[in-house]
Amino acid sequence: MGYVLVEKGKIVAVSSDSIENTGSVEIEGMGKMLFPGCFDPHVHFRDPGFTYKEDFHTGSLAAVSAGITSVFDMPNTNPPVFTVENLEQKRKIAESKSVCNYGLFFGAGEKNVEEIKKAKNVPGVKLYLNSTTGNLKMNNETVWRDVFQLGKKVVLHAEGETFFRAVEIWKEEEFPCELHLCHASLRSEIDFVREMKKNPQAKGKISVEVCPHHLLLTHADQEKYGAICCMKPLLAMKEDLIALWEGVSDGTIDFFATDHAPHTLDEKKASDELGQTPIYGVPGVETFFPLLFTQFQQRNLSFQHLANMTSLSAKTIYHVQDKKGLIEVGFDADIFMFNPSVKTNVEPQKFFSKSPWSPFDRWDITGKVEKTFVGGRLVFDQGKIIDFESRGNELRFLN
Ligand code: NCD
Ligand code: ZN
């Protein structure tokens, strides 16, 4: 049993004894759990450019309906975030549409080092080393070196070999920046990061995330279900999935992310037809926490560890300056109430996303997000968005 008092968007008291109520609204949560709002450090809200798939408003509604109160949006929009002007354009979009808090990644292009230098308040610079949605793949290793040398955090879309090569170059350049591997999917990547973290020069500078689909699905699912199980990196083997869970348990993997990459179901179905190039990506924010909670319960992993990997860890590794990620006095009241007792199913038709489908359609899940607060404002309550109007803040980063 515990009590939390929130005033003006901040947590002002936390106690196991009842707190004297001086006229505030009281919310009863007997039998429920309170978690710090999730950070999802990897989403594609498609705004600007592909707003028929998602936009910052619908993406953020989908996020808060699932306990995610802060997101970091990827730069493969149209135009991609390659210039300060593009960044400012996206900033205006997020400011006017986002119900949750947000950070905006910058993209590394062939000739935009000067722009990257000028970019202010970004979580990092995304460097694509493999093909995926958006054609931002960068083969030129000189550019990799130049981007590393800028000293901003570099966030890699790299898969196996390209990741190992990037780390080789990072070493040759003498570790000039922090390096983060997005959506790890292979045993070889996890084993490699585990070893790197023992290297005193790399320690504290290398991090890795994993997505629920790589933890729960394998290549066999793509063979069986086709495009709705097709994303980059592709689903791997059972052996890889086992290694990812080992990495979750032993702390090699730093945090979870969704890689929420919505496309319409029609687009996905069309890509199943012969001769079509695959269209990579699956929506993920609305299944994120319930799937992970269910797994942590089944695998007897601690919910403290879950809370860390869905919230505080990403906030710390990305050097978010706001006080978020814990339910403690002085922290922002980004919180959600979770009912761990109910058994439900994934129901994509109820999603707030513009792309309401899921590779986890009808999967059994334990627990349900019941209420989500962003900065103390109740925005989602018992299946409904109750505040469409309030807006989250841009998170503050070190650079
Ligand atoms: C992402 C997308 O659709 O933007 N697709 C995906 O399969 N994950 C891009 C990416 O993160 O690779
Ligand atoms: Zn992505």
Side-chain angles (χ1 to χ4, degrees):
M1 182 78 111
Y3 299 84
V4 176
L5 186 65
V6 170
E7 264 172 29
K8 298 194 179 110
K10 298 258 180 220
I11 296 165
V12 295
V14 179
S15 171
S16 52
D17 297 322
S18 90
I19 297 169
E20 201 192 333
N21 183 353
T22 49
S24 39
V25 178
E26 222 173 286
I27 296 173
E28 220 270 328
M30 190 74 91
K32 315 286 168 70
M33 298 168 91
L34 273 191
F35 282 96
C38 297
F39 272 74
D40 184 352
H42 189 151
V43 302
H44 301 264
F45 279 176
R46 307 295 192 207
D47 204 349
F50 306 101
T51 51
Y52 68 95
K53 298 177 198 257
E54 195 76 283
D55 65 47
F56 234 106
H57 192 57
T58 55
S60 66
L61 295 178
V64 298
S65 77
I68 296 167
T69 53
S70 294
V71 298
F72 301 174
D73 190 59
M74 287 294 167
N76 62 336
T77 35
N78 190 18
V81 183
F82 276 173
T83 67
V84 170
E85 196 186 336
N86 301 152
L87 176 65
E88 291 309 326
Q89 181 193 8
K90 194 183 268 191
R91 230 171 222 146
K92 287 205 181 82
I93 291 169
E95 196 186 338
S96 68
K97 295 188 186 176
S98 186
V99 175
C100 63
N101 307 309
Y102 52 89
L104 306 173
F105 280 107
F106 211 79
E110 190 71 52
K111 289 197 189 87
N112 72 340
V113 165
E114 289 309 312
E115 290 291 313
I116 300 174
K117 275 190 202 161
K118 286 188 276 176
K120 289 272 180 306
N121 204 44
V122 293
V125 182
K126 181 80 182 277
L127 182 57
Y128 287 88
L129 308 186
N130 292 80
S131 306
T132 185
T133 311
N135 291 326
L136 305 189
K137 185 178 169 196
M138 172 62 56
N139 293 322
N140 185 344
E141 291 186 4
T142 309
V143 173
W144 306 6
R145 288 178 199 274
D146 292 347
V147 172
F148 290 167
Q149 285 298 346
L150 295 175
K152 293 191 196 231
K153 192 180 194 81
V154 176
V155 178
L156 292 176
H157 179 127
E159 303 178 18
E161 289 308 314
T162 53
F163 174 54
F164 307 140
R165 178 69 188 137
V167 172
E168 224 170 82
I169 289 179
W170 185 57
K171 276 187 195 163
E172 282 171 21
E173 296 292 317
E174 297 178 349
F175 312 94
C177 61
E178 291 179 7
L179 202 61
H180 175 72
L181 176 64
C182 292
H183 40 49
S185 65
L186 304 172
R187 171 175 284 283
S188 58
E189 293 167 348
I190 300 306
D191 290 347
F192 187 89
V193 172
R194 188 180 289 112
E195 284 311 302
M196 280 305 292
K197 286 185 170 184
K198 293 181 190 154
N199 175 335
Q201 285 171 291
K203 205 167 180 246
K205 285 187 138 186
I206 189 157
S207 54
V208 58
E209 77 192 24
V210 67
C211 307
H213 44 258
H214 291 122
L215 286 165
L216 294 168
L217 303 169
T218 67
H219 187 64
D221 293 291
Q222 196 196 333
E223 305 241 295
K224 193 164 163 195
Y225 300 109
I228 66 156
C229 286
C230 179
M231 74 294 287
K232 276 309 223 56
L234 296 176
L235 292 169
M237 300 297 160
K238 186 75 195 282
E239 183 47 31
D240 297 295
L241 184 154
I242 291 167
L244 296 180
W245 278 109
E246 285 165 11
V248 169
S249 305
D250 74 7
T252 302
I253 295 174
D254 295 276
F255 47 78
F256 298 118
T258 64
D259 194 7
H260 178 75
H263 299 282
T264 66
L265 195 53
D266 285 347
E267 288 172 317
K268 290 295 264 185
K269 282 184 180 156
S271 82
D272 262 336
E273 284 159 22
L274 216 61
Q276 293 268 356
T277 40
I279 175 163
Y280 301 114
V282 297
V285 290
E286 285 166 271
T287 46
F288 181 59
F289 193 85
L291 284 174
L292 291 170
F293 183 89
T294 307
Q295 287 295 315
F296 268 60
Q297 191 175 58
Q298 283 172 9
R299 292 167 186 267
N300 238 340
L301 293 166
S302 92
F303 296 133
Q304 194 66 44
H305 190 40
L306 174 64
N308 187 49
M309 287 190 74
T310 51
S311 191
L312 185 64
S313 178
K315 116 100 202 168
T316 307
I317 285 172
Y318 277 107
H319 309 289
V320 174
Q321 300 297 290
D322 309 89
K323 287 200 95 176
K324 293 187 187 293
L326 288 173
I327 302 181
E328 282 186 7
V329 172
F331 279 70
D332 294 343
D334 293 350
I335 307 172
F336 67 100
M337 189 188 276
F338 189 76
N339 183 347
S341 317
V342 288
K343 303 262 181 212
T344 58
N345 297 104
V346 172
E347 295 178 287
Q349 70 278 13
K350 293 191 179 163
F351 284 2
F352 292 91
S353 168
K354 280 189 192 174
S355 297
W357 56 271
S358 168
F360 303 106
D361 196 354
R362 291 192 292 277
W363 275 41
D364 292 332
I365 40 178
T366 302
K368 196 173 176 185
V369 174
E370 292 195 341
K371 294 178 193 292
T372 306
F373 300 84
V374 180
R377 297 180 306 272
L378 180 62
V379 291
F380 172 80
D381 193 13
Q382 306 295 347
K384 293 197 174 75
I385 299 288
I386 59 161
D387 179 357
F388 288 87
E389 303 307 322
S390 69
R391 295 294 174 259
N393 295 318
E394 182 169 4
L395 299 164
R396 288 176 298 133
F397 299 92
L398 261 187
N399 63 58

